[in-house]
Amino acid sequence: MKKEAISALSVRADVSSDTLRDAESEADLRACYAVMKELRPHLEGEADFLQRVARMRSQNYRLLAAWEDGQVVALAGYRLQENLVYGKFLYVDDLVTAETARGRRWGALLLDALTIMAQQSACMRLALDTAVSNSLAQRFYFRQGLLFGAMRFHKLLAQ
């Protein structure tokens, strides 16, 4: 995360730069795995997670982690992108708080940090997808000021 974003977030949310930081090292990523597994149970293990993140980094993927007492308690996978539909935007791939840390505003803190980052990067919007059936997440996103803006279609392809 840019230092300016951390500074702006620190003033706004009274958190230190040690509380929210991009997971850069392999040790940081390993610390993130258990929390990400709660959101993405299809991951085949820590090695699979590390390999996927390594590949996705070439597509601008970053992983912002919230730390409490040396442990990862929440994560936001994100990337800065640009397309003809949105212009320049910040896309949130993953947003999860550990089961044991839910209800303590970690998700809101991460979204606030990503919003600041998007604004400082001259993005037109912050975007994310959620399952139509995930009504709890949708309520959370509405409370955080996100609006329903599209319906995504997909087709599963045989491997």
Side-chain angles (χ1 to χ4, degrees):
M1 178 187 270
K2 292 180 180 178
K3 293 296 180 198
E4 301 84 26
I6 291 172
S7 297
L9 181 65
S10 296
V11 169
R12 213 169 147 204
D14 195 31
V15 298
S16 74
S17 60
D18 291 335
T19 301
L20 292 184
R21 71 176 191 276
D22 277 335
E24 298 284 345
S25 70
E26 184 174 320
D28 283 351
L29 291 173
R30 287 182 188 280
C32 293
Y33 171 70
V35 176
M36 185 62 80
K37 180 76 172 173
E38 291 184 36
L39 180 65
R40 308 289 183 220
H42 61 274
L43 291 171
E44 295 176 9
E46 190 175 270
D48 178 41
F49 170 67
L50 294 173
Q51 290 169 356
R52 287 178 187 228
V53 169
R55 285 191 306 270
M56 291 165 40
R57 279 187 170 166
S58 70
Q59 301 164 7
N60 300 319
Y61 181 83
R62 310 289 298 160
L63 193 56
L64 181 61
W67 299 79
E68 183 178 59
D69 298 325
Q71 301 292 316
V72 174
V73 293
L75 297 168
Y78 69 95
R79 53 184 103 209
L80 293 170
Q81 297 182 317
E82 185 171 4
N83 64 26
L84 296 174
V85 175
Y86 297 142
K88 192 171 180 184
F89 67 103
L90 188 146
Y91 182 77
V92 181
D93 290 65
D94 316 289
L95 183 63
V96 60
T97 299
E99 179 79 31
T100 58
R102 292 191 183 144
R104 297 192 354 236
R105 307 234 356 110
W106 290 112
L109 187 65
L110 287 166
L111 277 177
D112 286 348
L114 294 174
T115 298
I116 291 167
M117 188 183 309
Q119 291 168 333
Q120 291 177 340
S121 299
C123 291
M124 300 299 294
R125 68 181 66 208
L126 180 144
L128 59 78
D129 294 324
T130 190
V132 173
S133 61
N134 194 347
S135 59
L136 290 176
Q138 292 163 23
R139 283 190 358 215
F140 168 74
Y141 298 140
F142 284 129
R143 282 194 316 268
Q144 299 309 308
L146 280 76
L147 303 173
F148 180 76
M151 185 179 295
R152 175 172 283 178
F153 293 91
H154 69 271
K155 179 190 296 188
L156 295 178
L157 305 174
Q159 297 293 329

